[in-house]
Amino acid sequence: MHNTHAAVDLPSLRKQKILLLLERDGKVTASELVEHFAVSQDTIRRDLGELASAGLLQRVHGGALPRPKDTGKDFFTRFGETTATKRHLAQLAADRVEDGQIVLFDSGTTTLQIAQSLPHSIKLTAVTHSPMIAIALSEHPNVTVILAGGQLNPVTMAASGHEALRLIQGIKADLLFTGVCALHPQVGISSLHFEEVAVKQAMLDSASHVVAVTLADKLGAVEPFVVAPCSRIHTLITEWHVPPGSVEAYECLGLEVMQVDA
């Protein structure tokens, strides 16, 4: 690594750069990071310790490795484990769609469930980078489906890259159902997958109203790659039973919070 960063880098920015290097290289060593950022061994040791405590990487002797994957389950396995609670949340989200709207669907098993919960007779234009969601929506006779293409990630079953971005940036949508890997009041929306960030940001920029649907276990969680602050979400749909203080924290940020008692 070359020393391309000044020692005055903010700690939070430096830690985000460490995660980017880890994503790119598959491992980082403390000595390389000291040289790269022109900071002390103690500083890098503290950075790695804090990132490990947050569950964002795995400390090893002399450096760090990516954290173990959460479940190792592929998209189809995760969708097959859809719970009654997630179905109720998805139905509440689907009920917000009105005839004639242009609706963006982010990738994910929850947004797929929302697509499948729409009335068969709904009339809308749907834009998505998820082939699975496009197929589900194609069964609706009055839905025009626009599929953004690009490189397919077999884990998320979604396309990313320049072509997907260009199409999404050219859309002015009424509504976005955004996928949520993690949502934290201070950190915001974050993702486990670096390649998702730009597409998610483009979707947020292209929608007049943003709805996030998530189970309680993703509230207060943090993943390595930050997408946007919570203020970019207008409506949060989640479970009735959430960690104490969670709902208030998001309402204080201006979000409309809707809860489902399954």
Side-chain angles (χ1 to χ4, degrees):
M1 297 181 187
H2 299 290
N3 182 7
T4 58
H5 298 280
V8 295
D9 275 347
L10 294 172
S12 59
L13 180 59
R14 188 175 59 246
K15 284 185 281 191
Q16 189 169 30
K17 290 177 180 177
I18 289 172
L19 292 172
L20 289 169
L21 291 169
L22 188 59
E23 173 85 358
R24 185 191 72 184
D25 299 337
K27 65 180 179 65
V28 293
T29 67
S31 59
E32 287 175 330
L33 294 175
V34 165
E35 179 183 354
H36 186 73
F37 293 105
V39 294
S40 68
Q41 281 273 3
D42 286 343
T43 296
I44 291 300
R45 190 178 299 115
R46 183 170 59 250
D47 286 347
L48 294 179
E50 291 173 357
L51 289 168
S53 296
L56 300 178
L57 54 74
Q58 179 182 3
R59 285 297 306 275
V60 295
H61 180 69
L65 295 172
R67 70 174 187 175
K69 297 299 182 184
D70 287 345
T71 64
K73 297 174 182 176
D74 63 22
F75 179 94
F76 299 100
T77 301
R78 286 183 282 116
F79 185 71
E81 294 174 348
T82 297
T83 63
T85 299
K86 184 180 283 190
R87 285 192 289 271
H88 289 157
L89 295 174
Q91 186 60 62
L92 185 59
D95 290 344
R96 300 181 70 94
V97 179
E98 300 177 5
D99 276 343
Q101 287 186 321
I102 298 175
V103 183
L104 279 163
F105 288 84
D106 195 1
S107 61
T109 56
T110 302
T111 43
L112 174 56
Q113 188 69 52
I114 294 170
Q116 293 182 333
S117 300
L118 291 170
H120 188 67
S121 60
I122 193 80
K123 299 177 182 178
L124 58 89
T125 297
V127 183
T128 185
H129 62 133
S130 164
M132 301 299 298
I133 292 174
I135 291 169
L137 291 171
S138 70
E139 298 177 359
H140 295 70
N142 299 314
V143 174
T144 299
V145 181
I146 299 174
L147 177 61
Q151 182 172 342
L152 186 69
N153 183 329
V155 176
T156 61
M157 287 301 293
S160 63
H162 176 72
E163 292 301 323
L165 275 177
R166 186 171 64 176
L167 187 146
I168 291 166
Q169 288 168 346
I171 298 291
K172 295 301 178 187
D174 300 293
L175 186 62
L176 162 65
F177 293 116
T178 186
V180 176
C181 290
L183 189 65
H184 189 282
Q186 282 74 52
V187 177
I189 310 164
S190 56
S191 174
L192 180 62
H193 305 283
F194 176 64
E195 69 275 9
E196 284 190 334
V197 173
V199 173
K200 287 181 179 292
Q201 289 172 339
M203 286 188 163
L204 290 168
D205 290 340
S206 296
S208 297
H209 192 91
V210 178
V211 177
V213 182
T214 182
L215 296 173
D217 60 353
K218 295 182 179 180
L219 297 180
V222 177
E223 294 292 0
F225 304 107
V226 177
V227 176
C230 289
S231 58
R232 298 301 302 276
I233 296 171
H234 300 98
T235 303
L236 172 63
I237 300 176
T238 190
E239 299 177 72
W240 184 260
H241 300 291
V242 297
S246 292
V247 170
E248 292 80 2
Y250 296 106
E251 287 177 334
C252 287
L253 294 170
L255 280 69
E256 171 196 22
V257 180
M258 304 179 67
Q259 294 175 267
V260 173
D261 188 354

